[in-house]
Amino acid sequence: MRVLLVGAGGVGTAVTRIAARRDFLTHMVVADYDLARAEAAVAALTDRADRFSARRLDASDQDAVRRALVEEGCDVLLNATDPRFVMPLFTAALAAGAHYLDMAMSLSVPHPTAPHAECGVKLGDEQFAVAADWERADRLALVGMGVEPGLSDVFARYAADELFDEIEEIGVRDGANLTVEGYDFAPSFSIWTTIEECLNPPVVYEKERGWFTTAPFSEPEVFDFPEGIGPVECVNVEHEEVLLIPRWVDARRVTFKYGLGDDFIAKLKTLHELGLDATAKVTVPGPDGPVEVSPRDVVAACLPAPATLGDRMKGKTCAGTWVKGTKDGADREVYLYHVVDNEWSMREYGSQAVVWQTAVNPVIALELLASGAWKGSGVLGPEALPPRPFLDLLTAYGTPWGQREELGRS
C-alpha cells in the first residue's frame, strides 16, 4: 500500500513513527505546506525509513493534491490536517481515484436563528452529500477514523454486535489527568480544533427526535475514568460520533461529553467573548502595511505546539464509549475504553499521549484495508465495518483496550 499522508504536525509525525514498525506499508509520502517539517518527520525515523519520503504540498490546493496522488502512485490519502482542509483533500482523493481517510469531518455551520435548539449544517454533511459519487467510483472514504471519532465508534459497533440486545444510550466520554509543567494554559491537542468543537453548539441524537443541539458545555456530569484517572466533570461538546453512530448503530440516544474542567472552559468562553475564536480574517497593522490575519490562527500561534509538550506532560488520557441497555433481558452498562500513559508513549515512540492515541487508529485502519479485513465503498464511518479485527489489531500494536462493567459500581 502506498499512502499520501497530508500533514506532518504532531499527529502526522506520530503516524509515521507507528507505521514505520508495520510491514503492510510499501511507501508513505509525508506531505506538508512546510517542507522542512515533512523532512524532519522522515529524518527522525530509524525503522525502515527508506519507505518514507517528504514532499511540499498545500492542502488547500485541490488540484495539486490530485496531481501528487497520481504522480506518487498512492492508493490512499490520509488526512492529518485540521478540519478546514477536509473538503479539498476529500475531493482531490476521489478525483485521483484514491481511497481516503480522515480523523475529523467537514465543518458544521450553526443554525442561523436557533443555534442551541436546531442543527444547521452538521459535521460531515458535505461529505455524506456526495457518498453516491464514491460508491459509483468503487472507492472508500473512511471518515472520522482517529480516536474520537474513530476508536470510540468501533467500540459502539462492538457493543451493539456482542454485548447488548437493545441499547438505550451510547455516550462517548473523554477524560484525562494530564498536566503540563511550566504552563498555565497549554492544550494537549490542536487549539484550532478544540475551539471549533467546544464553542460550537453540541449535537445530541434521540431516536424519536433526530439530531438537535444544546448550549455549549451543557448537562455537566462527573464520570469516573479508569486506571487511576478518577472522577472528571464532563460536558456536552460538538463531536462527530453523535453524527456517525446513529447511521449504523440502533440506539435511542447518543451523546458526546468531554472532561474539560472549569478553568479550561472559562478560558474558552473568554476567547469567544473577545472574538478571538473567529476564523474570518481581520485587518491589523504590519511593518509593511495592513495585514489580514485570523484571530483563531493568532491564538494558535501564541500557544505551544501540542506535539512539543511531551517532555513536560505527566499523566494519562482516556478515550471511551459508555453504553447502557439490556442483554438477555437484564439491564447492563459497560464502559469500553483505551488509556495511554504519556510516559509510555514518549518512551516508546517519542510522541505525547494525546497525539499518539489519535494517530494509532488510522494506521490500524490502513493495515486492515491493506489486508482486506476491512473493505467497502462510499462514505463510511468506522462503525460501518466489523469491529473485532480492529480491536484485535489494536492489542497487537501493544496498546490494549479495556472493558468495565458499570452496574453496581458505587
Side-chain angles (χ1 to χ4, degrees):
M1 173 181 281
R2 291 182 64 88
V3 178
L4 175 64
L5 168 67
V6 184
V11 172
T13 296
V15 163
T16 65
R17 294 171 181 176
I18 297 165
R21 301 188 184 188
R22 306 299 298 185
D23 291 333
F24 76 91
L25 185 71
T26 304
H27 192 83
M28 177 174 282
V29 180
V30 183
D32 198 278
Y33 186 80
D34 182 350
L35 177 59
R37 190 161 69 165
E39 289 175 334
V42 172
L45 299 173
T46 56
D47 296 314
R48 301 186 64 178
D50 57 304
R51 295 183 298 159
F52 295 80
S53 60
R55 177 171 180 150
R56 187 190 181 279
L57 190 62
D58 182 349
S60 68
D61 188 337
Q62 181 177 312
D63 193 53
V65 176
R66 180 195 60 77
R67 290 197 307 271
L69 284 162
V70 173
E71 290 168 5
E72 300 285 357
C74 291
D75 308 293
V76 184
L77 188 159
L78 172 56
N79 176 2
T81 64
D82 73 53
R84 287 174 291 182
F85 303 107
V86 163
M87 288 311 296
L89 294 174
F90 173 83
T91 305
L94 180 60
H99 301 294
Y100 169 89
L101 272 78
D102 64 30
M103 291 164 268
M105 296 168 65
S106 61
L107 292 169
S108 63
V109 179
H111 191 279
T113 59
H116 298 155
E118 299 181 36
C119 294
V121 176
K122 301 187 298 299
L123 292 168
D125 274 357
E126 287 187 83
Q127 292 171 286
F128 283 114
V130 293
D133 295 340
W134 286 82
E135 290 173 8
R136 282 191 292 270
D138 194 26
R139 289 295 176 266
L140 172 64
L142 180 55
V143 297
M145 191 60 254
V147 59
E148 292 172 343
L151 177 57
S152 50
D153 303 72
V154 173
F155 283 148
R157 175 83 267 169
Y158 172 75
D161 287 356
E162 301 196 26
L163 304 181
F164 289 86
D165 297 323
E166 293 186 351
I167 294 176
E168 180 180 336
E169 181 170 352
I170 295 174
V172 180
R173 299 293 183 264
D174 180 298
N177 61 359
L178 293 168
T179 59
V180 183
E181 181 184 357
Y183 290 96
D184 292 327
F185 185 61
S188 58
F189 200 68
S190 162
I191 189 61
W192 201 102
T193 304
T194 300
I195 288 173
E196 182 73 18
E197 61 190 25
C198 290
L199 291 177
N200 277 351
V203 180
V204 175
Y205 172 83
E206 292 180 357
K207 193 170 185 179
E208 295 182 357
R209 185 175 173 183
W211 286 293
F212 61 95
T213 57
T214 69
F217 315 121
S218 57
E219 298 182 4
E221 68 174 63
V222 175
F223 192 86
D224 186 16
F225 289 91
E227 298 194 22
I229 295 174
V232 178
E233 185 176 80
C234 300
V235 293
N236 279 325
V237 167
E238 181 190 49
H239 235 251
E240 286 90 344
E241 291 95 323
V242 179
L243 287 312
L244 285 171
I245 290 171
R247 295 175 186 269
W248 289 281
V249 178
D250 186 13
R252 295 189 187 95
R253 179 176 166 89
V254 181
T255 58
F256 179 96
K257 292 188 179 182
Y258 197 6
L260 295 172
D262 291 341
D263 182 65
F264 197 94
I265 290 172
K267 286 182 169 64
L268 290 176
K269 287 181 175 178
T270 299
L271 291 174
H272 178 65
E273 289 162 0
L274 296 174
L276 295 175
D277 61 325
T279 57
K281 291 184 177 180
V282 298
T283 302
V284 299
D288 300 315
V291 178
E292 289 192 338
V293 296
S294 158
R296 193 184 299 185
D297 287 342
V298 172
V299 172
C302 291
L303 291 171
T308 66
L309 297 174
D311 290 334
R312 294 173 173 263
M313 285 174 58
K314 289 187 169 124
K316 300 176 182 179
T317 184
C318 178
T321 304
W322 165 78
V323 188
K324 178 181 179 181
T326 59
K327 177 68 173 177
D328 298 327
D331 291 339
R332 190 178 197 186
E333 287 185 43
V334 301
Y335 183 57
L336 303 164
Y337 64 89
H338 183 247
V339 172
V340 177
D341 188 321
N342 188 73
E343 182 181 351
W344 175 86
S345 64
M346 287 297 296
R347 182 180 67 248
E348 293 294 320
Y349 288 89
S351 296
Q352 58 104 318
V354 177
V355 298
W356 189 91
Q357 189 183 46
T358 303
V360 68
N361 297 287
V363 178
I364 292 172
L366 288 172
E367 184 162 346
L368 291 173
L369 292 172
S371 71
W374 272 12
K375 54 190 171 184
S377 62
V379 179
L380 302 181
E383 54 280 278
L385 299 165
R388 178 55 78 173
F390 189 99
L391 295 175
D392 288 346
L393 200 49
L394 181 65
T395 300
Y397 271 54
T399 174
W401 56 282
Q403 176 178 326
R404 185 178 74 184
E405 296 290 336
E406 299 291 282
L407 279 182
R409 298 182 76 247
S410 57

